Amino acid sequence: MKLIGPFTQILPLTGLPLKGALKDEQLYIIPNGGVLVDDGLIVAIDDFEQLRLAHPSALVEEITGDHVLLPGFVDCHTHICFAGSRAKDYALRTAGKTYLEIAKAGGGIWDSVTQTRMADEATLTNLLLNRVQRHLAEGVTTIEVKSGYGLSIDAELKQLRAIKTAADKTQASLVSTCLAAHMLPKDFDGTHSEYLNHILQNLLPAIKQQRLANRVDIFIEESAFNASDALNYLAKAKQLGFEVTVHADQFTTGGSEVAIQARAASADHLEASTDREINMLAKSDTVAVTLPGASLGLGMAYAPARKLLDAGACLAIASDWNPGSAPMGDLLMQAAVMGAVEKLCAAEVFAGLTFRAASALKLNDRGILTKNKLADMQAYPCNDYREILYHQGKLKPDRVWVAGD
Ligand SMILES: [Zn+2]
């Protein structure tokens, strides 16, 4: 048993609804708080001195100086298993070329596919692990990682094995997702629907058998897959036992409706969503995931986060960290900057980075700090939680715990 503290403030993020708008007055704050941890789980969270008196035999991990404690962040959407750089794409984009123009000119996702296919598995694992460790040091204790730069049976399996190997070498929790349906690979001899059938028959059963992923994602867009092919693919993936998620409404609408019809865990992007999609998402159990890093990287508008919350949706915020549209990968900075533009209060930003993001991954053992939840936590060197978003991502945690360690 270990007692960690005292913290100037603990924000356990308990007692907040899973869906809809929040106010900072709803935040429960424990002053001079402590956390009692045993076997990776929170045993109690309360006034530090009271916990010390009640548990005199507990080992004390003393925190000196002002600190504000939050649950560890959950980044529910990343593509950080890749090789190579797309700095050339970025330069073309800032010179005025569009995402679709760059893709049609031979850049874009296919460039990352080529470089990821060339990398051997150990190299790919190390590249991924470096990004995971940076995220973990910045308070992100659970990280979803997608494949999707392999786009052949062997190369997708290589990516998913790299994610599994990296997961064994880091304290952070990694959640892998098969995104073989990222785009139609240029070297596949067949139509979009033939490619999806190829994946359903030859890749997804192998992934299940080798326990490499429990989630399947698809990119629904004019440059990728259409709504009817996607709906069929997601239904069959569910029959094989996968949880499903969708890249939806990034440039055009249609994807979020498929996500809701397929009862997907989440619909991610939503930059193009209109009131119609916003209302559908709000009525559904599908988590709306906004990806401000992609808006920053592409120089495009943010998803309508304020409207989604006001309509009653469950809104999560993820980094979309990837070599093309979102190379920065700084989740807190992205969330803070989007929050300033979209007018999200601190409670809404923190909820979107923690328990609401955990629900997008169907994880109910983390994201809030209370008895029997994982002791995944991060401490910021300040005396008031409002300092964290005020510094717009430059204030980083100076201590991060995963399962209490
Ligand atoms: Zn993405």
Side-chain angles (χ1 to χ4, degrees):
M1 198 105 79
K2 181 165 74 166
L3 174 61
I4 311 171
F7 297 100
T8 319
Q9 294 183 333
I10 297 178
L11 274 71
L13 303 185
T14 47
L16 300 171
L18 186 59
K19 296 174 72 173
L22 300 171
K23 288 195 167 17
D24 286 349
E25 294 72 46
Q26 290 173 269
L27 288 170
Y28 170 48
I29 299 171
I30 305 167
N32 304 310
V35 184
L36 194 66
V37 175
D38 192 30
D39 209 14
L41 300 180
I42 296 170
V43 176
I45 186 159
D46 205 341
D47 178 84
F48 179 77
E49 286 306 324
Q50 280 184 16
L51 283 174
R52 181 144 70 175
L53 288 172
H55 302 275
S57 62
L59 191 80
V60 175
E61 180 178 340
E62 201 183 337
I63 304 298
T64 52
D66 281 322
H67 282 88
V68 173
L69 188 75
L70 292 181
F73 292 148
V74 175
D75 191 349
C76 63
H77 184 137
T78 85
H79 305 253
I80 55 176
C81 184
F82 66 87
S85 164
R86 298 250 298 279
K88 204 170 67 183
D89 284 18
Y90 192 84
L92 282 173
R93 200 156 55 237
T94 55
K97 303 286 182 201
T98 67
Y99 184 83
L100 296 177
E101 280 171 347
I102 293 165
K104 278 176 187 155
I109 294 166
W110 191 249
D111 191 11
S112 293
V113 170
T114 305
Q115 301 193 60
T116 302
R117 282 181 179 178
M118 282 192 306
D120 64 56
E121 197 171 316
T123 304
L124 195 57
T125 304
N126 281 332
L127 289 167
L128 166 61
L129 203 51
N130 286 340
R131 298 179 188 119
V132 165
Q133 295 307 93
R134 197 192 92 183
H135 235 18
L136 178 60
E138 296 183 350
V140 186
T141 48
T142 299
I143 308 167
E144 187 261 12
V145 186
K146 300 177 196 296
S147 66
Y149 296 124
L151 304 191
S152 69
I153 305 301
D154 287 347
E156 285 288 311
L157 289 172
K158 179 180 75 174
Q159 270 201 292
L160 292 167
R161 281 194 307 269
I163 298 167
K164 193 176 190 178
T165 306
D168 291 337
K169 293 182 174 181
T170 178
Q171 260 194 304
S173 302
L174 303 190
V175 176
S176 60
T177 303
C178 175
L179 180 58
H182 202 179
M183 65 180 280
L184 178 67
K186 292 186 174 186
D187 55 357
F188 182 78
D189 185 20
T191 64
H192 285 75
S193 67
E194 285 166 351
Y195 174 68
L196 293 177
N197 282 332
H198 170 62
I199 296 300
L200 284 164
Q201 283 165 20
N202 301 309
L203 179 61
L204 297 191
I207 290 171
K208 264 282 162 215
Q209 197 196 2
Q210 296 170 43
R211 297 171 190 265
L212 292 173
N214 290 315
R215 292 162 43 87
V216 162
D217 193 351
I218 185 166
F219 191 10
I220 302 176
E221 195 51 68
E222 283 172 1
S223 59
F225 297 93
N226 70 34
S228 70
D229 284 351
L231 200 53
N232 177 55
Y233 178 68
L234 293 172
K236 288 183 175 155
K238 286 190 91 162
Q239 283 168 13
L240 290 171
F242 289 91
E243 195 63 65
V244 299
T245 178
V246 176
H247 276 68
D249 300 0
Q250 185 180 12
F251 303 109
T252 56
T253 55
S256 57
E257 191 166 9
V258 171
I260 294 161
Q261 284 171 349
R263 296 184 155 271
S266 69
D268 304 25
H269 268 299
L270 310 175
E271 292 89 334
S273 298
T274 69
D275 289 348
R276 179 171 174 270
E277 287 77 32
I278 290 167
N279 289 323
M280 279 193 299
L281 284 162
K283 286 197 199 94
S284 76
D285 291 328
T286 297
V287 178
V289 180
T290 175
L291 306 170
S295 299
L296 288 165
L298 296 173
M300 294 178 74
Y302 294 109
R306 180 72 265 150
K307 282 187 168 183
L308 282 158
L309 285 165
D310 287 342
C314 177
L315 184 91
I317 305 168
S319 74
D320 196 23
W321 191 358
N322 74 73
S325 58
M328 182 212 289
D330 189 322
L331 178 60
L332 177 60
M333 182 173 289
Q334 294 162 356
V337 169
M338 182 195 70
V341 175
E342 280 289 311
K343 309 296 178 210
L344 306 190
C345 70
E348 290 168 332
V349 172
F350 292 150
L353 293 171
T354 57
F355 67 93
R356 289 177 171 181
S359 81
L361 299 177
K362 305 262 181 194
L363 297 171
N364 57 17
D365 58 350
R366 66 197 74 189
I368 57 173
L369 303 180
T370 192
K371 192 172 186 242
N372 291 330
K373 299 290 179 186
L374 281 170
D376 289 359
M377 317 183 290
Q378 46 171 339
Y380 288 81
C382 59
N383 62 6
D384 184 313
Y385 75 88
R386 287 170 292 204
E387 294 282 344
I388 298 168
L389 294 175
Y390 168 62
H391 284 92
Q392 298 190 305
K394 288 301 275 185
L395 185 69
K396 297 295 184 194
D398 61 6
R399 179 80 170 90
V400 178
W401 293 264
V402 177
D405 281 319

